[in-house]
Each structure stands twice: as structure tokens, then as C-alpha cells.
């Protein structure tokens, strides 16, 4: 006949499991409490306070600058107006609008516009905003300063017009694809006019 295990060993095992579970729960809750306390009560030492203050220090106004940019709505309206002006004259063009920093905001490629027109429109817009002048005027400057054309991202052909606010450039509109830079620039100006009307 098999010997029975003593009852105290069974309960001892159960007691150990229950005790171990309780200890683990207590340790977990204690750790959570310590983490919560650390998260909600910052270190009160002067060194920690100084470091926190330095990390969130506000700079004086004279150390910052603010710039004006077209809204995406205004940029889209300008691009669409330029494209519409070109389509009325049966011209297949691409229109690009760049912000003050030369970043492309909107590009619309009209039906049938040539593949080269996409990059050309962006470069004309970039050139116009960079010098705050229509690219047809800037092209004339190449006679005195031919190295201007070597500046990366620029294109000194008619078709780029700056958008200004308070006489400062805030965007550039470039059009490419028409048979002449004069036509491209006329369509770009239609984009500027659409923004100015609102």
C-alpha cells in the first residue's frame, strides 16, 4: 500500500505559492509606486533644477526671426490660375510654387506638358524668389555676371515671378513649357494676380 503524503507538505506547497505570489505583487506595486513618485515629483536638488531650467530656457526675441509664407490654399489657387491662363491659350505647361526657402509647395503639370517642364518650372520659381525679381529681368543680368547661371537650382529664363508681402519675397511661381519665356512669365503673373485678388 502506498504511503500517503503528509497533509502539511501539501498545504506548505500551497502556502509557498500563495506567499510567493503575494511577494511578487508587493514588489511590483512597490516598484510602480517608486516610478510614479519619481515621475510626479522631480528631483529637488539644485543641480537638477538648474539643468531643467537650462533645457527649457526661452531665448530673447532678438535671437529669433519670423517669416511669412503662402498658405497651401493660396499656393494651390495661384498654381491653378497660372495653369488655367495657359490652357486658355492652348499652351501645355507645368506650374510650380515654391516657398520663401525655395521648397516646392505645389506643382501642377498640365495635360501634354513636356517632361522637361517640371524641373524647369521649379527652378524658375526658385530663382524668382531667391532674387525677388522676375526671371526675365534676371536673365539680362547674365550679361554682366555670367557665373550666376552656375548657382545650383537656378534657371535664368523667363517664366518665374516672385510673390511678395511688404516688398519681401514670400514665394515664387514658375511656369515652363510654352514656346517662349514671355508667355511662361505671363501665366506665372496670372498666378500672382489670383493670390493678390483675395
Amino acid at each position: 500500500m502506498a504511503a500517503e503524503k503528509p497533509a502539511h507538505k501539501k498545504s506548505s506547497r500551497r502556502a509557498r505559492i500563495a506567499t510567493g505570489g503575494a511577494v511578487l505583487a508587493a514588489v511590483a506595486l512597490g516598484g510602480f509606486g517608486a516610478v510614479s513618485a519619481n515621475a510626479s515629483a522631480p528631483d529637488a536638488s539644485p543641480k537638477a533644477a538648474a539643468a531643467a531650467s537650462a533645457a527649457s530656457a526661452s531665448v530673447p526675441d532678438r535671437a529669433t526671426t519670423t517669416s511669412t509664407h503662402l498658405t497651401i490654399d493660396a499656393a494651390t489657387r495661384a498654381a491653378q490660375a497660372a495653369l488655367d491662363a495657359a490652357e486658355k491659350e492652348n499652351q501645355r505647361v507645368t506650374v510650380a510654387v515654391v516657398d520663401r526657402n525655395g521648397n516646392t509647395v505645389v506643382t501642377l503639370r498640365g495635360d501634354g506638358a513636356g517632361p522637361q517642364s517640371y524641373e524647369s518650372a521649379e527652378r524658375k520659381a526658385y530663382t524668382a524668389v531667391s532674387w525677388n525679381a522676375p526671371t526675365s529681368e534676371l536673365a539680362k543680368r547674365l550679361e554682366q555676371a555670367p557665373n550666376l547661371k552656375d548657382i545650383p537650382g537656378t534657371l535664368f529664363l523667363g517664366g518665374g515671378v516672385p510673390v511678395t508681402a511688404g516688398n519681401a519675397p514670400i514665394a515664387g511661381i514658375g511656369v515652363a513649357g510654352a514656346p517662349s519665356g514671355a508667355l511662361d512669365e505671363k501665366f506665372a503673373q496670372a498666378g500672382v494676380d489670383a493670390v493678390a485678388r483675395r
Side-chain angles (χ1 to χ4, degrees):
M1 190 149 87
E4 285 188 32
K5 290 184 180 177
H8 73 279
K9 287 202 175 192
K10 277 187 179 177
S11 62
S12 174
R13 186 168 183 227
R14 283 186 191 149
R16 281 191 306 227
I17 291 172
T19 304
V23 169
L24 285 175
V27 168
L29 285 174
F32 176 76
V35 169
S36 296
N38 286 339
S40 63
D43 187 357
S45 73
K47 192 181 219 180
S53 175
S56 64
S58 182
V59 297
D61 288 343
R62 65 182 180 278
T64 64
T65 186
T66 302
S67 61
T68 303
H69 295 266
L70 283 181
T71 64
I72 186 69
D73 180 56
T76 302
R77 196 168 58 247
Q80 189 62 58
L83 188 61
D84 291 346
E87 287 177 349
K88 281 180 188 171
E89 297 193 26
N90 296 316
Q91 298 301 318
R92 298 173 180 165
V93 301
T94 297
V95 181
V97 180
V98 302
D99 67 13
R100 176 62 187 105
N101 302 319
N103 299 312
T104 303
V105 179
V106 176
T107 304
L108 296 178
R109 184 172 179 267
D111 293 335
Q116 80 289 353
S117 66
Y118 190 92
E119 183 182 349
S120 295
E122 287 184 333
R123 291 174 62 192
K124 288 178 183 184
Y126 176 82
T127 306
V129 75
S130 296
W131 275 274
N132 192 21
T135 53
S136 59
E137 286 181 23
L138 296 170
K140 295 171 189 172
R141 294 184 194 176
L142 290 178
E143 294 172 15
Q144 288 81 34
N147 290 345
L148 282 178
K149 71 182 182 321
D150 298 332
I151 297 172
T154 60
L155 186 58
F156 292 87
L157 295 175
V161 178
V163 180
T164 60
N167 295 324
I170 61 167
I173 301 175
V175 176
S180 73
L183 275 177
D184 284 338
E185 202 158 296
K186 174 183 172 183
F187 305 143
Q189 186 61 50
V192 174
D193 294 343
V195 175
R197 280 193 297 269
R198 286 238 175 150

